[in-house]
Amino acid sequence: PVLISGSDSVISWKVNTDRNILYSLRVEYYSGSFDYSDKTVAGKEEVLTSKGAAAERYILIDGQVPYKEARSIEFDLIWQDVYTVVDEDGHPILSDGKKQTYTTSDDEFLDYIRDPRNHTVDGDVVFVRDVNGNELKPDKAIVESWIVKDVYDSTGYHSEPLSFYFESGEHTISLQAVREPLAIKSITLVPQVNVPTYEEYLAANPGEDYTGDACIKIQAENPVYTSGNTIYALNDRSSSYSEPQDAALIRLNEIGGDKWQYVGQWIEWEVTVPEDGYYSIIPRSQQNWYSGMYVSRKLYINGELPFREAANLRFNYSSEWQTEALNNGGDEPFKFYFKADEPTLIRLEVVLGDMAEVLSTVEASLSKINAYYRKILMITGPDADEYRDYGFDKLIPDVVSGLGEQA
């Protein structure tokens, strides 16, 4: 059974707990477009249409929003590229006068990225080229599938799933719509999970470092999935080492940039390794958007966070392209355990990292200062008299001391 809720709905469930406990919420929902019509209680026909945008909901426990982060929970969609079958010159191959297409979920694409030759300059042409020979980015389509996702803070200030406190007894969990219809298959209360540290991860996966001479390279402009239709392959001419490269024509040879900078956005690639063991992940990347700062990404392997430190990987500012193994700013780069001949999904998601605490503190401070400012306006009005002593220390001593604390 599936529950479909509209863009102005409130749906509730009753749950019973036998003890006082903190739970996270895990929701199984549909990533895809849908049209659904049904009769209302009044006998009128109601049509629910998904518009291809992320749904947003409030979470209420016993009719109340427990904290501000629960006011904006987003249920993202999964997107994939739609490629056109092309010849060696990048021209579409027609069948009965029509273009043939395939997605990144199809065998045609998976076979392409699993061939090591296609991650070199001698690889097959995969992008359509215009009459001038410039490569064109593929179209995007929503992946029609069910997603199981823990509920997170959409602002990114908290990197772990949101927790909700339940005392022993019966409670009501409600989802109040903010925008977009949503199809839900299940909601599960999940105890807090203790993610292992890097040292615990190494101990739990006994194995040797990969010592072979094969370098497993994947071209980043060929992801399997993305979190949005605005993340797509781009052209870079700042370095002759970017593959593929052409001095005059557009070649799609990178992904991300300013299209991949907001909390929660992610890109996912597939990789297959030849032997069981530990591997370093060394992206060739350039972070030249935030001068003097680093940005952070969270790594998932097959949908799981391998260890805590992987939730805060750093990419430092540089005007040049960098090739550094994934790390969190420490002296030693991380290594990751992979099993041979098993296609593995690697996802990098935008997070605030160590900046989350700083930004959260600044936001809280600004909120208090604005509240103090409103209290001052209640006394002075919008046009304060600069020659008058309003006696703030007597009228609003809490504001005077509060401003001193925030300073």
Side-chain angles (χ1 to χ4, degrees), residues 167-237:
E167 293 184 346
S168 176
E170 184 178 82
H171 299 275
T172 301
I173 301 174
S174 303
L175 293 183
Q176 180 176 331
V178 178
R179 58 183 169 92
E180 287 297 311
L182 182 65
I184 300 174
K185 185 178 287 187
S186 67
I187 292 184
T188 306
L189 273 63
V190 182
Q192 290 181 307
V193 177
N194 184 28
V195 179
T197 64
Y198 182 54
E199 289 75 14
E200 292 170 341
Y201 170 76
L202 295 178
N205 294 278
E208 301 294 330
D209 292 350
Y210 173 66
T211 57
D213 56 0
C215 178
I216 301 97
K217 182 172 70 174
I218 57 175
Q219 297 292 353
E221 64 269 17
N222 299 134
V224 180
Y225 303 115
T226 64
S227 61
N229 59 351
T230 59
I231 302 176
Y232 47 77
L234 302 168
N235 170 241
D236 170 70
R237 284 205 186 99

Side-chain angles (χ1 to χ4, degrees), residues 69-125:
E69 288 84 358
R71 291 184 176 275
S72 178
I73 305 300
E74 294 187 354
F75 296 89
D76 297 322
L77 306 179
I78 298 178
W79 292 80
Q80 60 187 347
D81 291 328
V82 180
Y83 288 88
T84 300
V85 179
V86 296
D87 59 22
E88 61 183 11
D89 296 317
H91 301 145
I93 298 176
L94 304 181
S95 177
D96 296 328
K98 298 181 179 180
K99 295 180 180 179
Q100 306 170 73
T101 61
Y102 58 94
T103 70
T104 53
S105 301
D106 295 329
D107 290 339
E108 291 92 332
F109 179 79
L110 297 176
D111 290 341
Y112 172 85
I113 62 172
R114 289 169 185 170
D115 185 347
R117 188 179 63 84
N118 289 326
H119 297 287
T120 69
V121 293
D122 299 320
D124 295 334
V125 174

Side-chain angles (χ1 to χ4, degrees), residues 20 113 134 199 212 232 251 276 300 358:
N20 300 346
I113 62 172
N134 297 307
E199 289 75 14
Y232 47 77
R251 293 292 179 258
D276 290 356
Y300 294 90
V358 176

